[in-house]
Amino acid sequence: MQKLKILMLVFFVGLVGCTHAEVSQTKQIQIGISYYDSYDPFIEQLSKRIEDILNEENVVVKSQDSEKSQIIQNRQVSDMLKDGYDVICVNLVDRTAPKKIITMAEEANVPIIFFNRELVAQDLESWKKLYYVGGDANESGTKQGEIVVSYLESHPEADHNLDGKIQYIVMEGEAGHQDAIVRTESSIQAISDAGVVLDKLDYAIANWNRSQAYTKMKQFLGKYKDSVELVLCNNDEMALGVVQALSESDIPQSQWPLIIGVDGLLDGLKEVKNGTMIGTVYNDQIGQAEAIAQLAIALAKNEDLDQCHLTNGKYIRKPYEKVTQENVDDYLKLVQ
Ligand code: GAL
Ligand code: CA
C-alpha cells in the first residue's frame, strides 16, 4: 500500500511537472494596444485590422482608448507593463511627449511599437527596443499635390476667375501632428513646383474631424464663396465636411472648388467615385496593420526581425498611393 502511495505521488508530481512545462511552452502571447482616440475613423479602421490579425494568430489582445489624454495613455501603458504584456503598441496622444512611456518600457524591458503618430527620431533612438510603423508624411502631401496638378492640366476651367492663379484654402489636421504640418507643406510645394501659381485665401485647423471642417467651411463660404477654387484637406474626413458644406450651399456642383483629401477610407472613396472629390491619397491601413501585427508577434517570440524589413532597425513605412476616379474602384474593393 505504502509503495502504491509513493508510486501515485511520483505519477502525480510527474503530471504536474509536465503540465507546467506545457503551460510555459504554449503561453499565449499578450499584446497591448493604446489608441489616441478610437473615434477617429482612420484609427478605428486600422485598429480593427490589427486586432483581427492578432486574434487570428491566437494572441491575447488588450486594446484601450486614451481619449486624447497623454496622462490616461501613460497609465494604460504602465498597467499593461505591470500585467506582463509582451509588447505594447502605442498610438501616441502627444507625439512630443513619449518619454514617460519610453522610461517605463525600458525599466520593464518590454518593446514598444509606436504607430501613426510619429515621434521625433531622437526619442525613437533613445532605447533599442523602440519601433515606428506608419507612412511618410512628405510622400502623402506630394502625391496629393501631384493629383491636383494633373487634374488642373486637363481642367483649366478650374481657375474660375481666369486670373492664372488658384485661390485655395487648407483644412489642417491637428496642430503639431506630422501628417498635418508636413502634408500641407509638401502638397503646396508639389503644386508650385509644377508651375501652378497658388494664392492662399485662408486655412483652418479642423482636427481631422468632419463636423469641425463642415463648420469652418460654412464660415469660409460666407467670405470666399465666389473666389475659392481649391480646398486642400489633410485627410478625407475633413474633405467630407467640406463636401457637406458645399452640398448645402447654392453653388452648382460644376462651380465647386476642387476638393482633395488623404486616407482612402470608404466614405472618401465614394466621393471620389461620384466626382465631388477629385481624389485622395491612400494611407495603407492594411499594410500598416499587417506590419504592426507581424512586428509585435516577432518581438514577443524573440524572433529574428529580418522578416519585418525594418529601416535603420526601427522604422516600417508603408507607401501612400494616389487615388483618382480612374483607379478608385480598385480601392473600393480593397477597403470594403
Ligand atoms: C493620419 C490620418 C488622419 C488621422 C491621423 C491620426 O495619418 O490621415 O485621418 O487618423 O492620422 O493620427
Ligand atoms: Ca483663379
Side-chain angles (χ1 to χ4, degrees), residues 166-229:
I166 297 296
Q167 278 70 30
Y168 75 102
I169 286 173
V170 187
M171 281 295 170
E172 294 198 9
E174 264 169 279
H177 190 303
Q178 87 281 352
D179 283 340
I181 306 165
V182 181
R183 275 179 194 166
T184 303
E185 279 171 9
S186 53
S187 180
I188 290 165
Q189 186 72 46
I191 302 172
S192 314
D193 285 354
V196 175
V197 183
L198 287 169
D199 178 11
K200 185 170 182 174
L201 297 177
D202 223 322
Y203 80 100
I205 293 179
N207 294 305
W208 309 117
N209 182 278
R210 194 184 299 202
S211 63
Q212 288 187 34
Y214 165 79
T215 310
K216 298 281 181 193
M217 194 61 200
K218 282 261 193 197
Q219 290 163 4
F220 285 149
L221 285 176
K223 277 198 213 161
Y224 310 113
K225 184 167 162 279
D226 299 322
S227 47
V228 58
E229 296 168 339

Side-chain angles (χ1 to χ4, degrees), residues 158-167 199 227 229:
D159 176 11
H160 296 159
N161 64 354
L162 303 170
D163 70 345
K165 298 180 194 161
I166 297 296
Q167 278 70 30
D199 178 11
S227 47
E229 296 168 339

Side-chain angles (χ1 to χ4, degrees), residues 36-37 40-44 91-92 115-118 132 135 173-174 177-180 183 207-208 234-238 262-263 265 281 283 288 320:
Y36 93 101
D37 174 19
D40 174 316
F42 178 74
I43 296 301
E44 202 183 334
N91 180 214
L92 273 172
F115 65 96
N116 169 265
R117 299 164 73 84
E118 187 170 351
Y132 178 75
E174 264 169 279
H177 190 303
Q178 87 281 352
D179 283 340
R183 275 179 194 166
N207 294 305
W208 309 117
N234 286 164
N235 78 343
D236 286 354
E237 275 301 302
M238 296 190 292
V262 175
D263 274 344
L265 294 177
V281 183
N283 192 354
Q288 290 172 29
Y320 282 98

